[in-house]
Amino acid sequence: MNTPVLQESLEELVERCTLAVETPGFAEAEAWKREAPCRAIAGCFPVYSPVELFHAAGMLPVGLAGGGNRMEIAHADSRFQSFVCSIVKSTLEQGMTGALSSFDALIFHSICDPARNLASVYARNFPDQKVEYIHFPQNLGTPEATGYLAREYERVMVSMSELTGRQVSFDDVRASISTYNQVRSVIRDLYAIRSDTPHLLKTRELYPLVRYGHLVPPERHLEVLLRAREGILAREGRPKDRIRALLVGSFCEQPPLDLIAAIEDAGCYLVDDDFLQGRRWFTRDVDAEADDPYYALADAYVDRSVPCAVKHDIRTSKADALVERARVHRADAVIVLCAKFCEPALFEYPLYRKALQAAALPHISLEFEEKMWVFDRIKTEIETFVESLLFS
Amino acid sequence: MADLQYQGHLHNLQKELMAEYYADLTASAEGSGVPAAYLLIGGNPVELLRAFDILPVFPEVNALQLAVRKQSLPHIQAAEFMGYSSDNCAYVKADIGMYFAGRKTPFATIPEPTLLLCNYVGCNVYLDWFGHLSEYTGRPAFQLDIPFIRTQSGTPSRDDIIYVLRQLERLVELCEEITGKRLDQDRLRESVRLSSETGALWSKIKHLTKQAPAPYDAYFDSVTMMAPLYCLRGTPQGLRFFETAYAELAEKAAAGVGPLETERFRYVIEGPPPWPHLRTFRDMFSRWNAVAVASTYSTVGGLWEFGFVHDPDHPMESIARHLLEWNLTNRNFLQRYAQIERYLEEWNASALVIHSVKSCRLFSAGQGDMREYFTKRGIPTLLVESDLEDPRYFSEAQMRNRIDAFFESVGHRTAVQGASS
């Protein structure tokens, strides 16, 4: 935890983050917990979690992102069927193999049906850990949604306070909002840099830099991101003959880093994506000065958050938003890359396809699994797609 | 005794009443002027629509009717051609395929919706399904957001109830706008009263299978009775059906008559049925003289047998409580374990069958854990897999082998226990 970030080069930072992301376990979080008594870890299931609440309660909110392709699922397969997505099983597997034993609480959300049942199954199998389930409003058009979500956040905070024995003030929550605003602001910058100059920042670099925030306190993550931004802005280079692609569908279960690299190597600049969508959930800062910080967080969720397959907002069309996003990022094409068996993501595709066809935007639809090892087939498919665009 | 036939009067009455219901749907589709609202089975506030004379249309019921009549596959394939995945819910695919095929079915022409009322009780697929229908039909969607039960006590919080009540008030405003009528409180109370009496009778019917032999099969017969329970609830016709059903089934119970000549095994079954192969599936149990004495699927619309009744004196609050608490799908997964445990004990069953369906992850995801839980408690538990709508996922020989092996082993176990006691 004491590595001098400010002395590391961009490449060293990316390497550090990549190693942390690809190494099974949560060593840095566990080390943080050991540094002082009364510290606690909250594991947050994707997609979005109000991490400010756990941070304000003196906890380290750790992002759960599945088991990757270095974990064998040996126990959880008997609890969840073959047609259930991998991250549900790999999260339970992590519990069953002790990888989450240092976690004091696990937080699930109303994002999909398997995640909902996982909250119950996890609670039954690990009664010593606190399991909370946050209900996000599914009718963002109703005026009661914001107030309701604010009260839901307060309920969760009471639950966390019982766990940590710490009374949390509004100022504590405001301070956490402010900290995470800074982190999200730098991430927004990095995403803008990649969109404007994708030849200066590869997604295989950006992704681990962002995901590192799943594993360490936000203050630490902010240091790394700021230093990385310095390094990226100092880079020089020229664009290559590649297509500018927008990638969607991978907001929950995460593809292996090698798959992201394979897509880039197949001839794409990924100018926008929805990897780790929850870390970039808000389109603007959350009000860190609000009289009621719970309401401010809820308000941001309801009115200033990104479209996502697991967030239902009948005020807007997600397919239209996708087309607009492609236009804003000057994307030549869209890659729909859904996690296998992810019903919310798969449900988006028919409407995406209809809208993309109407907008004359080329697209390709593919599926992945977090435990994939071989990427040749998917790389070939994308290469063919890219060539069809470059040489048409 | 002579007129106590298995396919008794209630079956004919059901056919007659459902035919009338579907005739109403066709009339609406053909321009009778009666507005139709699509809504979902889970929980569901049908009483409110009745008060406005809005005709309820249940896409789930339509989808299962297509499956039972072996008409679902072409519609599923048409939806897959549009881009729906093999992993998407087949109810949705059958419904959307049918919609684009002109809404004509062997049982009715399904009307275009005037309102898409998405009562989000438990299932995230509901939200996508109705969102897509709104896109295709261009009709307004109302998402009734029902928070999932997530408290230690297993009951909704006061905040949850107020939140749902406020949304119901907005739904009333929307219905008033659509129909041009003000909500008639007396009509609402009357509809809720009819539901209250219907629910009470349904509860009494459910409790009849506590006795041996069970007078009917609480899975295969219960799921059939679910059609009038949902499509006709809140109407005099619905109440009439359940008065007839209770009288007939109570008579069978009094006479000691059941659906099989002998009742050898009493089991509880979890999960929706494989509608395209319902008869075949039923025969797999009947040949072992096995009777379902309780089923979880028959409680997706409401948990009346555990004490819920609509309250005509507090109609909106009782509708909110029904949506929030008193149906299977808005309860959490562990509450379902507790429900099954109650069935096993109070309905005196000796085995659990879990029918896992690919289409419904809310129902199925994690049933391996459920099997583990009950097996560790000494309950013989079988888990079999197929689908509720897609006929391609039903492997008859494999299913039969698994069920045969299961009952053979339960029979052996019972014999050994009998010999040693």
PDB file of all heavy atoms in Angstrom, chain A residues 322-349:
ATOM      1  N   LEU A 322     -28.209   4.998 -27.446  1.00  0.00           N
ATOM      2  CA  LEU A 322     -27.029   4.333 -28.017  1.00  0.00           C
ATOM      3  C   LEU A 322     -26.623   4.992 -29.333  1.00  0.00           C
ATOM      4  O   LEU A 322     -25.434   5.259 -29.570  1.00  0.00           O
ATOM      5  CB  LEU A 322     -27.338   2.844 -28.244  1.00  0.00           C
ATOM      6  CG  LEU A 322     -26.263   2.052 -28.985  1.00  0.00           C
ATOM      7  CD1 LEU A 322     -24.988   1.961 -28.153  1.00  0.00           C
ATOM      8  CD2 LEU A 322     -26.761   0.648 -29.332  1.00  0.00           C
ATOM      9  N   VAL A 323     -27.596   5.267 -30.166  1.00  0.00           N
ATOM     10  CA  VAL A 323     -27.302   5.903 -31.456  1.00  0.00           C
ATOM     11  C   VAL A 323     -26.691   7.285 -31.226  1.00  0.00           C
ATOM     12  O   VAL A 323     -25.714   7.676 -31.877  1.00  0.00           O
ATOM     13  CB  VAL A 323     -28.582   5.987 -32.320  1.00  0.00           C
ATOM     14  CG1 VAL A 323     -28.338   6.822 -33.567  1.00  0.00           C
ATOM     15  CG2 VAL A 323     -29.063   4.589 -32.694  1.00  0.00           C
ATOM     16  N   GLU A 324     -27.237   8.013 -30.267  1.00  0.00           N
ATOM     17  CA  GLU A 324     -26.715   9.348 -29.958  1.00  0.00           C
ATOM     18  C   GLU A 324     -25.283   9.250 -29.427  1.00  0.00           C
ATOM     19  O   GLU A 324     -24.409  10.049 -29.786  1.00  0.00           O
ATOM     20  CB  GLU A 324     -27.646  10.015 -28.937  1.00  0.00           C
ATOM     21  CG  GLU A 324     -27.173  11.349 -28.385  1.00  0.00           C
ATOM     22  CD  GLU A 324     -27.014  12.441 -29.446  1.00  0.00           C
ATOM     23  OE1 GLU A 324     -27.508  12.252 -30.571  1.00  0.00           O
ATOM     24  OE2 GLU A 324     -26.378  13.477 -29.150  1.00  0.00           O
ATOM     25  N   ARG A 325     -25.064   8.232 -28.585  1.00  0.00           N
ATOM     26  CA  ARG A 325     -23.720   8.045 -28.022  1.00  0.00           C
ATOM     27  C   ARG A 325     -22.714   7.744 -29.133  1.00  0.00           C
ATOM     28  O   ARG A 325     -21.587   8.235 -29.116  1.00  0.00           O
ATOM     29  CB  ARG A 325     -23.795   6.878 -27.036  1.00  0.00           C
ATOM     30  CG  ARG A 325     -22.687   6.802 -26.048  1.00  0.00           C
ATOM     31  CD  ARG A 325     -23.115   5.818 -24.968  1.00  0.00           C
ATOM     32  NE  ARG A 325     -21.983   5.140 -24.395  1.00  0.00           N
ATOM     33  CZ  ARG A 325     -22.060   3.989 -23.748  1.00  0.00           C
ATOM     34  NH1 ARG A 325     -23.232   3.384 -23.630  1.00  0.00           N
ATOM     35  NH2 ARG A 325     -20.987   3.437 -23.229  1.00  0.00           N
ATOM     36  N   ALA A 326     -23.134   6.950 -30.086  1.00  0.00           N
ATOM     37  CA  ALA A 326     -22.248   6.636 -31.221  1.00  0.00           C
ATOM     38  C   ALA A 326     -21.939   7.918 -32.001  1.00  0.00           C
ATOM     39  O   ALA A 326     -20.806   8.128 -32.448  1.00  0.00           O
ATOM     40  CB  ALA A 326     -22.924   5.603 -32.123  1.00  0.00           C
ATOM     41  N   ARG A 327     -22.926   8.771 -32.143  1.00  0.00           N
ATOM     42  CA  ARG A 327     -22.713  10.023 -32.874  1.00  0.00           C
ATOM     43  C   ARG A 327     -21.743  10.936 -32.115  1.00  0.00           C
ATOM     44  O   ARG A 327     -20.802  11.478 -32.687  1.00  0.00           O
ATOM     45  CB  ARG A 327     -24.071  10.726 -33.065  1.00  0.00           C
ATOM     46  CG  ARG A 327     -24.051  11.895 -34.043  1.00  0.00           C
ATOM     47  CD  ARG A 327     -25.328  12.719 -33.956  1.00  0.00           C
ATOM     48  NE  ARG A 327     -25.546  13.334 -32.666  1.00  0.00           N
ATOM     49  CZ  ARG A 327     -24.861  14.386 -32.193  1.00  0.00           C
ATOM     50  NH1 ARG A 327     -23.923  14.939 -32.930  1.00  0.00           N
ATOM     51  NH2 ARG A 327     -25.122  14.878 -30.988  1.00  0.00           N
ATOM     52  N   VAL A 328     -21.963  11.057 -30.801  1.00  0.00           N
ATOM     53  CA  VAL A 328     -21.108  11.930 -29.981  1.00  0.00           C
ATOM     54  C   VAL A 328     -19.646  11.471 -30.056  1.00  0.00           C
ATOM     55  O   VAL A 328     -18.733  12.294 -30.126  1.00  0.00           O
ATOM     56  CB  VAL A 328     -21.614  11.933 -28.517  1.00  0.00           C
ATOM     57  CG1 VAL A 328     -20.575  12.538 -27.575  1.00  0.00           C
ATOM     58  CG2 VAL A 328     -22.932  12.689 -28.413  1.00  0.00           C
ATOM     59  N   HIS A 329     -19.451  10.175 -30.049  1.00  0.00           N
ATOM     60  CA  HIS A 329     -18.071   9.641 -30.071  1.00  0.00           C
ATOM     61  C   HIS A 329     -17.568   9.393 -31.497  1.00  0.00           C
ATOM     62  O   HIS A 329     -16.512   8.802 -31.679  1.00  0.00           O
ATOM     63  CB  HIS A 329     -17.991   8.357 -29.244  1.00  0.00           C
ATOM     64  CG  HIS A 329     -18.145   8.600 -27.774  1.00  0.00           C
ATOM     65  ND1 HIS A 329     -17.121   9.084 -26.998  1.00  0.00           N
ATOM     66  CD2 HIS A 329     -19.209   8.480 -26.949  1.00  0.00           C
ATOM     67  CE1 HIS A 329     -17.541   9.221 -25.744  1.00  0.00           C
ATOM     68  NE2 HIS A 329     -18.814   8.860 -25.698  1.00  0.00           N
ATOM     69  N   ARG A 330     -18.305   9.820 -32.458  1.00  0.00           N
ATOM     70  CA  ARG A 330     -17.935   9.674 -33.873  1.00  0.00           C
ATOM     71  C   ARG A 330     -17.558   8.216 -34.186  1.00  0.00           C
ATOM     72  O   ARG A 330     -16.546   7.927 -34.817  1.00  0.00           O
ATOM     73  CB  ARG A 330     -16.779  10.620 -34.234  1.00  0.00           C
ATOM     74  CG  ARG A 330     -17.179  12.089 -34.170  1.00  0.00           C
ATOM     75  CD  ARG A 330     -16.023  13.036 -34.401  1.00  0.00           C
ATOM     76  NE  ARG A 330     -15.146  13.116 -33.242  1.00  0.00           N
ATOM     77  CZ  ARG A 330     -13.891  12.691 -33.197  1.00  0.00           C
ATOM     78  NH1 ARG A 330     -13.344  12.150 -34.258  1.00  0.00           N
ATOM     79  NH2 ARG A 330     -13.172  12.799 -32.102  1.00  0.00           N
ATOM     80  N   ALA A 331     -18.391   7.310 -33.675  1.00  0.00           N
ATOM     81  CA  ALA A 331     -18.110   5.883 -33.868  1.00  0.00           C
ATOM     82  C   ALA A 331     -18.478   5.458 -35.294  1.00  0.00           C
ATOM     83  O   ALA A 331     -19.507   5.875 -35.833  1.00  0.00           O
ATOM     84  CB  ALA A 331     -18.904   5.053 -32.860  1.00  0.00           C
ATOM     85  N   ASP A 332     -17.611   4.633 -35.885  1.00  0.00           N
ATOM     86  CA  ASP A 332     -17.911   4.078 -37.209  1.00  0.00           C
ATOM     87  C   ASP A 332     -18.833   2.866 -37.091  1.00  0.00           C
ATOM     88  O   ASP A 332     -19.494   2.491 -38.065  1.00  0.00           O
ATOM     89  CB  ASP A 332     -16.616   3.599 -37.878  1.00  0.00           C
ATOM     90  CG  ASP A 332     -15.598   4.726 -37.992  1.00  0.00           C
ATOM     91  OD1 ASP A 332     -15.970   5.793 -38.495  1.00  0.00           O
ATOM     92  OD2 ASP A 332     -14.444   4.526 -37.546  1.00  0.00           O
ATOM     93  N   ALA A 333     -18.796   2.241 -35.921  1.00  0.00           N
ATOM     94  CA  ALA A 333     -19.549   0.992 -35.759  1.00  0.00           C
ATOM     95  C   ALA A 333     -19.792   0.725 -34.286  1.00  0.00           C
ATOM     96  O   ALA A 333     -19.182   1.346 -33.415  1.00  0.00           O
ATOM     97  CB  ALA A 333     -18.760  -0.162 -36.368  1.00  0.00           C
ATOM     98  N   VAL A 334     -20.692  -0.215 -34.043  1.00  0.00           N
ATOM     99  CA  VAL A 334     -21.012  -0.611 -32.664  1.00  0.00           C
ATOM    100  C   VAL A 334     -20.740  -2.104 -32.509  1.00  0.00           C
ATOM    101  O   VAL A 334     -21.111  -2.905 -33.374  1.00  0.00           O
ATOM    102  CB  VAL A 334     -22.490  -0.290 -32.334  1.00  0.00           C
ATOM    103  CG1 VAL A 334     -22.872  -0.862 -30.972  1.00  0.00           C
ATOM    104  CG2 VAL A 334     -22.739   1.212 -32.372  1.00  0.00           C
ATOM    105  N   ILE A 335     -20.063  -2.451 -31.423  1.00  0.00           N
ATOM    106  CA  ILE A 335     -19.872  -3.866 -31.078  1.00  0.00           C
ATOM    107  C   ILE A 335     -20.767  -4.153 -29.876  1.00  0.00           C
ATOM    108  O   ILE A 335     -20.619  -3.530 -28.828  1.00  0.00           O
ATOM    109  CB  ILE A 335     -18.398  -4.159 -30.714  1.00  0.00           C
ATOM    110  CG1 ILE A 335     -17.489  -3.873 -31.908  1.00  0.00           C
ATOM    111  CG2 ILE A 335     -18.239  -5.599 -30.233  1.00  0.00           C
ATOM    112  CD1 ILE A 335     -15.998  -3.941 -31.581  1.00  0.00           C
ATOM    113  N   VAL A 336     -21.721  -5.060 -30.069  1.00  0.00           N
ATOM    114  CA  VAL A 336     -22.574  -5.474 -28.956  1.00  0.00           C
ATOM    115  C   VAL A 336     -21.952  -6.756 -28.402  1.00  0.00           C
ATOM    116  O   VAL A 336     -21.994  -7.808 -29.046  1.00  0.00           O
ATOM    117  CB  VAL A 336     -24.030  -5.715 -29.419  1.00  0.00           C
ATOM    118  CG1 VAL A 336     -24.906  -6.099 -28.232  1.00  0.00           C
ATOM    119  CG2 VAL A 336     -24.587  -4.480 -30.111  1.00  0.00           C
ATOM    120  N   LEU A 337     -21.353  -6.632 -27.243  1.00  0.00           N
ATOM    121  CA  LEU A 337     -20.625  -7.760 -26.643  1.00  0.00           C
ATOM    122  C   LEU A 337     -21.291  -8.084 -25.308  1.00  0.00           C
ATOM    123  O   LEU A 337     -21.030  -7.437 -24.300  1.00  0.00           O
ATOM    124  CB  LEU A 337     -19.152  -7.377 -26.426  1.00  0.00           C
ATOM    125  CG  LEU A 337     -18.255  -8.474 -25.847  1.00  0.00           C
ATOM    126  CD1 LEU A 337     -18.014  -9.584 -26.864  1.00  0.00           C
ATOM    127  CD2 LEU A 337     -16.914  -7.890 -25.390  1.00  0.00           C
ATOM    128  N   CYS A 338     -22.149  -9.077 -25.335  1.00  0.00           N
ATOM    129  CA  CYS A 338     -22.928  -9.405 -24.133  1.00  0.00           C
ATOM    130  C   CYS A 338     -22.330 -10.616 -23.427  1.00  0.00           C
ATOM    131  O   CYS A 338     -21.865 -11.557 -24.075  1.00  0.00           O
ATOM    132  CB  CYS A 338     -24.372  -9.759 -24.491  1.00  0.00           C
ATOM    133  SG  CYS A 338     -25.250  -8.451 -25.329  1.00  0.00           S
ATOM    134  N   ALA A 339     -22.425 -10.580 -22.112  1.00  0.00           N
ATOM    135  CA  ALA A 339     -22.035 -11.763 -21.337  1.00  0.00           C
ATOM    136  C   ALA A 339     -23.031 -12.880 -21.633  1.00  0.00           C
ATOM    137  O   ALA A 339     -24.237 -12.641 -21.694  1.00  0.00           O
ATOM    138  CB  ALA A 339     -22.044 -11.440 -19.857  1.00  0.00           C
ATOM    139  N   LYS A 340     -22.503 -14.062 -21.815  1.00  0.00           N
ATOM    140  CA  LYS A 340     -23.371 -15.203 -22.104  1.00  0.00           C
ATOM    141  C   LYS A 340     -24.386 -15.375 -20.966  1.00  0.00           C
ATOM    142  O   LYS A 340     -24.033 -15.250 -19.793  1.00  0.00           O
ATOM    143  CB  LYS A 340     -22.499 -16.456 -22.243  1.00  0.00           C
ATOM    144  CG  LYS A 340     -23.174 -17.588 -22.945  1.00  0.00           C
ATOM    145  CD  LYS A 340     -22.158 -18.593 -23.467  1.00  0.00           C
ATOM    146  CE  LYS A 340     -22.845 -19.796 -24.079  1.00  0.00           C
ATOM    147  NZ  LYS A 340     -23.833 -19.470 -25.110  1.00  0.00           N
ATOM    148  N   PHE A 341     -25.607 -15.639 -21.313  1.00  0.00           N
ATOM    149  CA  PHE A 341     -26.722 -15.860 -20.377  1.00  0.00           C
ATOM    150  C   PHE A 341     -27.157 -14.591 -19.636  1.00  0.00           C
ATOM    151  O   PHE A 341     -27.938 -14.678 -18.689  1.00  0.00           O
ATOM    152  CB  PHE A 341     -26.403 -16.947 -19.336  1.00  0.00           C
ATOM    153  CG  PHE A 341     -25.943 -18.243 -19.922  1.00  0.00           C
ATOM    154  CD1 PHE A 341     -24.694 -18.758 -19.602  1.00  0.00           C
ATOM    155  CD2 PHE A 341     -26.736 -18.952 -20.793  1.00  0.00           C
ATOM    156  CE1 PHE A 341     -24.259 -19.961 -20.133  1.00  0.00           C
ATOM    157  CE2 PHE A 341     -26.308 -20.157 -21.339  1.00  0.00           C
ATOM    158  CZ  PHE A 341     -25.068 -20.658 -21.013  1.00  0.00           C
ATOM    159  N   CYS A 342     -26.639 -13.430 -20.037  1.00  0.00           N
ATOM    160  CA  CYS A 342     -27.057 -12.184 -19.355  1.00  0.00           C
ATOM    161  C   CYS A 342     -28.355 -11.715 -19.996  1.00  0.00           C
ATOM    162  O   CYS A 342     -28.348 -11.071 -21.041  1.00  0.00           O
ATOM    163  CB  CYS A 342     -25.977 -11.113 -19.481  1.00  0.00           C
ATOM    164  SG  CYS A 342     -26.533  -9.531 -18.808  1.00  0.00           S
ATOM    165  N   GLU A 343     -29.463 -12.027 -19.328  1.00  0.00           N
ATOM    166  CA  GLU A 343     -30.761 -11.745 -19.939  1.00  0.00           C
ATOM    167  C   GLU A 343     -30.999 -10.244 -20.145  1.00  0.00           C
ATOM    168  O   GLU A 343     -31.478  -9.840 -21.215  1.00  0.00           O
ATOM    169  CB  GLU A 343     -31.884 -12.384 -19.124  1.00  0.00           C
ATOM    170  CG  GLU A 343     -33.145 -12.504 -19.953  1.00  0.00           C
ATOM    171  CD  GLU A 343     -34.156 -13.484 -19.420  1.00  0.00           C
ATOM    172  OE1 GLU A 343     -34.195 -13.682 -18.214  1.00  0.00           O
ATOM    173  OE2 GLU A 343     -34.926 -14.027 -20.241  1.00  0.00           O
ATOM    174  N   PRO A 344     -30.661  -9.374 -19.186  1.00  0.00           N
ATOM    175  CA  PRO A 344     -30.876  -7.935 -19.442  1.00  0.00           C
ATOM    176  C   PRO A 344     -30.118  -7.438 -20.675  1.00  0.00           C
ATOM    177  O   PRO A 344     -30.662  -6.693 -21.488  1.00  0.00           O
ATOM    178  CB  PRO A 344     -30.356  -7.264 -18.164  1.00  0.00           C
ATOM    179  CG  PRO A 344     -30.463  -8.303 -17.103  1.00  0.00           C
ATOM    180  CD  PRO A 344     -30.194  -9.607 -17.803  1.00  0.00           C
ATOM    181  N   ALA A 345     -28.867  -7.859 -20.824  1.00  0.00           N
ATOM    182  CA  ALA A 345     -28.086  -7.411 -21.984  1.00  0.00           C
ATOM    183  C   ALA A 345     -28.668  -7.977 -23.270  1.00  0.00           C
ATOM    184  O   ALA A 345     -28.801  -7.264 -24.277  1.00  0.00           O
ATOM    185  CB  ALA A 345     -26.630  -7.844 -21.829  1.00  0.00           C
ATOM    186  N   LEU A 346     -29.033  -9.241 -23.227  1.00  0.00           N
ATOM    187  CA  LEU A 346     -29.562  -9.883 -24.437  1.00  0.00           C
ATOM    188  C   LEU A 346     -30.905  -9.266 -24.841  1.00  0.00           C
ATOM    189  O   LEU A 346     -31.247  -9.221 -26.019  1.00  0.00           O
ATOM    190  CB  LEU A 346     -29.685 -11.393 -24.226  1.00  0.00           C
ATOM    191  CG  LEU A 346     -28.336 -12.104 -24.031  1.00  0.00           C
ATOM    192  CD1 LEU A 346     -28.537 -13.539 -23.541  1.00  0.00           C
ATOM    193  CD2 LEU A 346     -27.523 -12.106 -25.321  1.00  0.00           C
ATOM    194  N   PHE A 347     -31.652  -8.792 -23.855  1.00  0.00           N
ATOM    195  CA  PHE A 347     -32.926  -8.148 -24.162  1.00  0.00           C
ATOM    196  C   PHE A 347     -32.745  -6.815 -24.888  1.00  0.00           C
ATOM    197  O   PHE A 347     -33.638  -6.345 -25.575  1.00  0.00           O
ATOM    198  CB  PHE A 347     -33.752  -7.919 -22.893  1.00  0.00           C
ATOM    199  CG  PHE A 347     -34.881  -8.893 -22.737  1.00  0.00           C
ATOM    200  CD1 PHE A 347     -34.990  -9.717 -21.630  1.00  0.00           C
ATOM    201  CD2 PHE A 347     -35.848  -9.003 -23.725  1.00  0.00           C
ATOM    202  CE1 PHE A 347     -36.020 -10.629 -21.503  1.00  0.00           C
ATOM    203  CE2 PHE A 347     -36.897  -9.911 -23.607  1.00  0.00           C
ATOM    204  CZ  PHE A 347     -36.973 -10.722 -22.490  1.00  0.00           C
ATOM    205  N   GLU A 348     -31.603  -6.178 -24.696  1.00  0.00           N
ATOM    206  CA  GLU A 348     -31.401  -4.899 -25.361  1.00  0.00           C
ATOM    207  C   GLU A 348     -31.213  -5.066 -26.867  1.00  0.00           C
ATOM    208  O   GLU A 348     -31.532  -4.170 -27.650  1.00  0.00           O
ATOM    209  CB  GLU A 348     -30.153  -4.186 -24.799  1.00  0.00           C
ATOM    210  CG  GLU A 348     -30.260  -3.771 -23.349  1.00  0.00           C
ATOM    211  CD  GLU A 348     -31.415  -2.836 -23.090  1.00  0.00           C
ATOM    212  OE1 GLU A 348     -31.702  -1.985 -23.943  1.00  0.00           O
ATOM    213  OE2 GLU A 348     -32.062  -2.975 -22.029  1.00  0.00           O
ATOM    214  N   TYR A 349     -30.655  -6.209 -27.242  1.00  0.00           N
ATOM    215  CA  TYR A 349     -30.174  -6.334 -28.616  1.00  0.00           C
ATOM    216  C   TYR A 349     -31.246  -6.119 -29.695  1.00  0.00           C
ATOM    217  O   TYR A 349     -30.989  -5.372 -30.660  1.00  0.00           O
ATOM    218  CB  TYR A 349     -29.435  -7.660 -28.811  1.00  0.00           C
ATOM    219  CG  TYR A 349     -28.959  -7.802 -30.237  1.00  0.00           C
ATOM    220  CD1 TYR A 349     -28.034  -6.897 -30.770  1.00  0.00           C
ATOM    221  CD2 TYR A 349     -29.466  -8.795 -31.070  1.00  0.00           C
ATOM    222  CE1 TYR A 349     -27.622  -6.976 -32.079  1.00  0.00           C
ATOM    223  CE2 TYR A 349     -29.051  -8.883 -32.391  1.00  0.00           C
ATOM    224  CZ  TYR A 349     -28.141  -7.976 -32.887  1.00  0.00           C
ATOM    225  OH  TYR A 349     -27.742  -8.042 -34.189  1.00  0.00           O
TER     226      TYR A 349
END
